[in-house]
Amino acid sequence: MRDKVMNNQSAIIPTLRYRDGKAAIQWLCTAFGFEKNLVVPDADGAIAHAQLTYGNGMIMLGSANNNAFSKLVKSPMESGSIGSQSVYIVVADVDAHHAKAVAAGAEIVIPITDEDYGGRVYSCRDPEGHIWNFGSYDPWAKPQSP
């Protein structure tokens, strides 16, 4: 049985680490259209915890530091510019979103493509090397295969 999620919000929230959490928050809001939900600085002024929303989805992020979690998860900049996962976000207008991301300096790593299974998608790298995927394909709207 699926756990009840309040207010139709996603129960799955990706978490990311950035060397410069403050700069990441600003860039993600400008380039991708995220909105600040909660930003908690630490005693040194870095980001201890932040929550950014996009539609009914959310990501959480923090500045890389020497705590227990940071020993388990690294920014791609700290691991040879190779990530181990990426985030996919459904957007209404892929072309407009792509243009906004490019204007903010996103590195396009896979150009806009029309997928055989439906929708348009593109992939880009943020300034710290995280891979982001944006597309019009909404897997929640498609019937699931048996």
Side-chain angles (χ1 to χ4, degrees), residues 114-145:
D114 292 317
E115 295 292 352
D116 292 339
Y117 54 84
R120 290 171 63 75
V121 65
Y122 78 95
S123 300
C124 63
R125 187 182 321 268
D126 72 22
E128 288 205 20
H130 292 284
I131 301 296
W132 294 83
N133 308 283
F134 296 92
S136 60
Y137 174 73
D138 182 353
W140 292 109
K142 300 288 181 184
Q144 298 299 311
S145 299

Side-chain angles (χ1 to χ4, degrees), residues 11-89:
I12 300 172
I13 302 170
T15 60
L16 301 106
R17 282 286 181 234
Y18 285 90
R19 290 194 328 190
D20 186 343
K22 282 183 178 180
I25 291 167
Q26 182 60 43
W27 194 87
L28 293 167
C29 290
T30 299
F32 297 157
F34 279 99
E35 295 181 7
K36 295 176 190 174
N37 175 270
L38 175 69
V39 177
V40 180
D42 65 16
D44 297 324
I47 301 301
H49 176 80
Q51 299 168 188
L52 304 180
T53 59
Y54 189 95
N56 68 346
M58 178 182 287
I59 63 168
M60 295 189 297
L61 67 93
S63 296
N65 54 30
N66 290 324
N67 65 18
F69 190 70
S70 289
K71 292 177 181 160
L72 301 170
V73 178
K74 302 288 183 197
S75 161
M77 288 181 77
E78 299 171 297
S79 60
S81 296
I82 301 295
S84 62
Q85 60 266 318
S86 64
V87 178
Y88 176 80
I89 298 174

Side-chain angles (χ1 to χ4, degrees), residues 98-99 101-102 105-112 122-125:
H98 177 273
V102 168
E107 175 191 354
I108 304 302
V109 295
I110 300 176
I112 294 177
Y122 78 95
S123 300
C124 63
R125 187 182 321 268

